[in-house]
Amino acid sequence: MKISSSDVARPALLAGAVLLTLLPGCGGLAPHARTDSPVADERLSALLASRRAVAAHGAGVVVEDEEVIVDSGRIRNEIERLTLEFPDHVPSLMASAQLAHDAGERTKAVSYLDRVRRLAPGHADAVVLRARIALEEGSIPLARRLVEEQIDRTPDHSGLREVEAGVRFLAGEHEAALRSLDVAESLGAPRARVLYLRGLIAERRGDRASASRLYLEAAEAGDPRAAARRRGLEAG
């Protein structure tokens, strides 16, 4: 049987797609009211609120009818400064790890995550991000070990179950991946992401009709990538 270049590339493309599914980025960092408090929690909340405002409105943010120009890079620097002023402040370390990861600085992200895990062993969100980085780097065994160890501690964490599904999918364990997604969904994982990953699994198994339906449902549920994935599937 002749193997085309597209057949060779498809597994890599699917691996990239599942990693995108598992990487929500800084959107999960909750904003709070702006404050000038010297308390680390409140300063971090204010900085994250500013960052979310920049993400939503661009560099120009309107505050009380006046436009204030905010530099998102400076906001990140201020968040990282908190990790120096308050080296044991886990939320600042986690935020810095996420921001470093979003900027493609994996080594820096891992360094922050290692600090979190030393300060707060069993920190589920830190393990989730560390496992995702392991998957990005192609280390399925490391990601699997991290996730399985943490699930023993916090079996009700939906993010862990999503990453577990991603590990199993990339390892070719499709039935096991679907079971992980069932658990993740029952624990409150976003339905759009669950549907999208189910679509990837169906596509990988050659069930194009199911994959197309799942992508349509994922798009209707709010996943921004599902419509393009469905069009690509139907065109291919």
Side-chain angles (χ1 to χ4, degrees), residues 14 169 178 181 193-205 207-208 210-215 218 229 233:
L14 287 170
F169 169 76
L178 289 171
L181 285 176
R193 290 211 306 259
V194 171
L195 287 167
Y196 184 74
L197 190 47
R198 284 180 178 150
L200 290 177
I201 294 170
E203 182 178 351
R204 187 67 183 90
R205 297 170 79 175
D207 187 349
R208 297 170 62 88
S210 293
S212 180
R213 173 180 56 79
L214 288 162
Y215 289 145
R229 190 82 194 179
L233 176 67

Side-chain angles (χ1 to χ4, degrees), residues 123-145:
H123 192 292
D125 290 337
V127 172
V128 166
L129 183 53
R130 183 64 187 89
R132 288 169 175 164
I133 293 173
L135 287 179
E136 289 177 3
E137 296 175 339
S139 184
I140 295 175
L142 174 57
R144 187 190 297 273
R145 177 176 61 80

Side-chain angles (χ1 to χ4, degrees), residues 3-178:
I3 300 176
S4 69
S5 60
S6 62
D7 292 326
V8 174
R10 188 171 292 113
L13 290 173
L14 287 170
V18 73
L19 286 172
L20 286 173
T21 300
L22 297 172
L23 293 171
C26 264
L29 299 176
H32 296 274
R34 187 178 182 88
T35 176
D36 294 323
S37 170
V39 178
D41 283 336
E42 295 178 354
R43 284 173 61 185
L44 177 62
S45 295
L47 288 165
L48 293 178
S50 295
R51 194 172 191 280
R52 288 291 292 270
V54 171
H57 304 291
V61 180
V62 176
V63 180
E64 296 181 353
D65 299 324
E66 294 185 8
E67 186 177 31
V68 178
I69 305 302
V70 182
D71 181 353
S72 60
R74 183 174 180 180
I75 294 173
R76 179 185 170 188
N77 290 339
E78 290 296 323
I79 292 173
E80 291 187 336
R81 182 182 297 175
L82 287 177
T83 69
L84 300 176
E85 295 183 37
F86 306 94
D88 296 339
H89 189 239
V90 169
S92 294
L93 291 168
M94 275 302 303
S96 295
Q98 184 69 69
L99 291 169
H101 176 267
D102 292 349
E105 301 170 8
R106 294 177 188 162
T107 300
K108 192 172 188 177
V110 168
S111 177
Y112 282 122
L113 292 171
D114 287 345
R115 289 171 63 183
V116 171
R117 295 170 65 203
R118 284 195 297 271
L119 291 166
H123 192 292
D125 290 337
V127 172
V128 166
L129 183 53
R130 183 64 187 89
R132 288 169 175 164
I133 293 173
L135 287 179
E136 289 177 3
E137 296 175 339
S139 184
I140 295 175
L142 174 57
R144 187 190 297 273
R145 177 176 61 80
L146 289 167
V147 169
E148 289 179 350
E149 289 176 354
Q150 187 61 37
I151 285 176
D152 285 339
R153 294 175 170 175
T154 51
D156 60 345
H157 192 284
S158 63
L160 281 169
R161 297 296 185 167
E162 283 189 76
V163 179
E164 180 185 50
V167 169
R168 289 173 167 178
F169 169 76
L170 293 175
E173 302 165 7
H174 300 147
E175 289 298 331
L178 289 171

